[in-house]
Amino acid sequence: MPGILVALIGIIVLALGYRYYSKFVAEKIYRLDPDYVTPAHRYKDGVDFVPTNKFVLWGHHFTSVAGAAPIMGPAVALYWGWLPAFIWVILGTVFAAGVHDFGTLVVSVRNKGQSIGTLANRLIGQRAKILFLFIILILLLMVNAVFTWVIANLFIQYPSSVLPVFIQIPIAIWIGYAVYKGNRKMLGPSIIGLVVMYATAIITSRVDFLQIDLVGYFGGEGSTGLFGLGAVSSAFLIWIIILMGYVYFASTLPVWKLLQPRDFINSHQLVVGLAILYLGLLFLNPEMTAPVTNSNPDTSWFPLLFITIACGAISGFHGLVSSGTSSKQLNKETDARFVGYFGAVGEGILALISIIAAGTFFANSDAFFATYGSFTEANGAGLDVFVVGAANLASGIAIPPDIATTIVSIIVVSFAATSLDTSVRLLRYIIGELGIEYKVPALSKKHVATSVAVVSSAALVLLPQGPNGFGSGGYLIWPLFGTSNQLLAGISLLLISIWLKRQGRNYAITLIPMIFLMFMTLYAMFQQVFFEWAWYGTESDMLLFVLGAIIFVFAVWIVLTAFNVLTKKYDNPIDND
Amino acid sequence: MLEHVKKLIQFYDEVLSMPHRQEIARELRDEDDLFLLLLYSEMIGIPNPIYYYTLELYPYMIENFHDWHLRMGMDKSPLTGIRCC
């Protein structure tokens, strides 16, 4: 089947979902009111509450939620064939993610622009808020661990991407100074930064000695490196230490010095990446060479598929963005449909191209199974397959394969690095908040909290014994990351259901995806925690067992609370403000 | 055509600048809050050697003061001398 046809079918279904289903949800379920005074107008302060044009807000919302996750998940899930991944991305976006992102936005707008965590406290109770805080804490730890490993892995696989990524740091610092001290606009300097980065990429792709190949420096894959470790493990260790050092400084410096200008340069890359991939697809017109379904997998697609692809089908993280920031900037309530639902559609389109890029790369089925031999191998190889697959598509617009590979790996590293920066910063705030809550004032100090965040993230990458030995904990953590992300989405859907119920409306459209998600998450967790990671399991790992067990208990707790709250009789309808 | 391209660039710039502008506005507001705290420090028991001079700023600060106490989580003005709401 041609890749273009797959993309076309996907885009048509997503467009129909937006055109009809979201319209039905907006009019009949959420009942958007164009005259409702949104928090952006009511509490206008020029900082958090700013009425914003819906197209601008959509752009901001989309760039906030699009990252490395919707690329990585589908590329791993290709293991079960491209059709299951495709169906879950399309239907998940239309019936779950769209409703979830849209719903969190509406509920937050109707409640003074409060975040989901605060709303959980109001609608469910104090316990829910603490639970929420812990789930977010674990989720952020996962993000740090997974993305640190992702970046280290890409640096090792594609040494030509190291220098362009690192050259971004001095450029970003220069832009920071130029913009804020010289009072200039950021667009021009950031595009110059991007051009310099890609020019460096072209040079490093062709000049061998500019490629920072740590494995090569140790004498190749078979040789011994540091502390008796293998060359690859040593390279992982060095990159992880460097990355952790970098995020420590990046998240403790004032934002305008490094993070903001870096973010700005990276924002362009989303546009560049999508343009390269979809134009390449159009001109190259490749066939889907990955099998439609994998008839003999060693790990069943049920329920793992729904955990492996989180971002791109439905993701709890989006609810945090919808309710924390976008809801405070919504100009009219009716704009919520475009910003929330269409934001989810954008993410679905990104996941769709990830499936196509990875699925059109192989010469034939045998080549596919040589790479995707087992689910564990798929976890490790998924991202690399996306990079080479995307580079293959880029050849459709006449970019040489070696340069395209470097540029695509830079784009993925940049996405992952942005998520990493943000999540370390958020983790610091949450550790500080917990420190104040539980009377440990030292934890609220900036450097103490950051140290705790960085050290615990590093431990999570280095301690679990992955299939690649030292430093490959990321292989194992991905399903756990998906699980905690889906749990968060489950809680958000539950909150929307409670809100709809107390408004006296039909809440089936949010309750059904919630039950589906919770069932899949609990089932997957139960399998992994008690049959794989436990001390008597097939892949015993105490760290993952403890983390997994905590998340499992949380999930059961949420289901019981949900049942309790949804079966309760309320005398008074909930007041919205 | 050129007009459309200009509009598109402007839109793109606006999308990317939004969170950054917000961050800067937040930094400035935090500085302002600190300044207001200094201004009203005498009323919450922190000695202020230039109290007589800051007192003269009050008429100009009432609008800001109202926003400030709302942000600080107080629905009504905490100071009897200033009746902004």
Side-chain angles (χ1 to χ4, degrees), chain B residues 7-63:
Chain B
K7 262 198 181 139
L8 190 70
I9 291 173
Q10 200 183 349
F11 163 74
Y12 185 63
D13 187 27
E14 214 170 330
V15 168
L16 295 190
S17 307
M18 202 171 95
H20 305 271
R21 225 190 5 252
Q22 214 177 2
E23 205 59 53
I24 300 302
R26 185 172 291 120
E27 294 271 330
L28 286 173
R29 190 183 63 184
D30 287 349
E31 271 184 24
D32 254 5
D33 286 347
L34 196 62
F35 177 67
L36 278 169
L37 181 68
L38 289 173
L39 216 58
Y40 299 110
S41 63
E42 194 78 26
M43 296 191 175
I44 51 172
I46 304 169
N48 180 355
I50 51 166
Y51 184 54
Y52 291 108
Y53 301 99
T54 57
L55 206 59
E56 288 181 18
L57 293 171
Y58 282 4
Y60 306 98
M61 304 302 281
I62 284 187
E63 192 70 30

Side-chain angles (χ1 to χ4, degrees), chain A residues 242-254 258-259 421 424-425 428 447 450 454:
Chain A
I242 290 173
L243 286 167
M244 285 298 168
Y246 160 76
V247 288
Y248 184 95
F249 286 110
S251 61
T252 48
L253 282 173
L258 175 62
L259 279 196
D421 288 339
V424 169
R425 195 167 267 274
R428 188 184 95 201
H447 289 280
T450 311
V454 166

Side-chain angles (χ1 to χ4, degrees), chain A residues 460-541:
Chain A
L460 199 53
V461 194
L462 298 172
L463 290 181
Q465 277 302 311
N468 258 11
F470 191 69
S472 58
Y475 280 108
L476 298 172
I477 292 166
W478 183 255
L480 206 54
F481 167 73
T483 317
S484 37
N485 203 353
Q486 300 303 47
L487 262 187
L488 206 55
I491 303 175
S492 302
L493 284 168
L494 164 68
L495 284 168
I496 304 165
S497 306
I498 295 170
W499 180 76
L500 286 172
K501 181 178 189 262
R502 292 183 68 174
Q503 296 278 1
R505 297 181 202 165
N506 181 353
Y507 53 94
I509 61 138
T510 52
L511 191 70
I512 293 167
M514 182 215 146
I515 291 170
F516 176 81
L517 261 190
M518 288 318 248
F519 173 75
M520 293 303 166
T521 308
L522 280 172
Y523 187 29
M525 283 308 315
F526 188 75
Q527 255 186 347
Q528 287 184 309
V529 174
F530 297 105
F531 292 101
E532 284 176 28
W533 296 332
W535 62 94
Y536 51 81
T538 48
E539 292 167 29
S540 175
D541 193 311

Side-chain angles (χ1 to χ4, degrees), chain A residues 45-48 52-53 55-57 59-60 63 180 185-187 191 255-256 260-261 263-264 267-268 271 329, chain B residues 8-30 67 70-71 75:
Chain A
D45 63 359
V47 180
D48 293 307
T52 307
N53 167 302
F55 296 102
V56 173
L57 187 57
H60 172 233
T63 50
Y180 296 122
K185 276 206 155 188
M186 191 140 10
L187 188 65
I191 289 179
V255 279
W256 63 266
Q260 279 206 335
D263 250 7
F264 216 101
S267 308
H268 299 308
V271 181
Q329 293 156 344
Chain B
L8 190 70
I9 291 173
Q10 200 183 349
F11 163 74
Y12 185 63
D13 187 27
E14 214 170 330
V15 168
L16 295 190
S17 307
M18 202 171 95
H20 305 271
R21 225 190 5 252
Q22 214 177 2
E23 205 59 53
I24 300 302
R26 185 172 291 120
E27 294 271 330
L28 286 173
R29 190 183 63 184
D30 287 349
D67 292 343
L70 284 180
R71 267 203 314 277
D75 285 338

Side-chain angles (χ1 to χ4, degrees), chain A residues 142-162:
Chain A
M142 301 284 164
V143 169
N144 295 345
V146 171
F147 288 162
T148 305
W149 172 79
V150 161
I151 298 170
N153 182 37
L154 285 169
F155 279 167
I156 291 167
Q157 298 284 351
Y158 308 103
S160 54
S161 67
V162 176

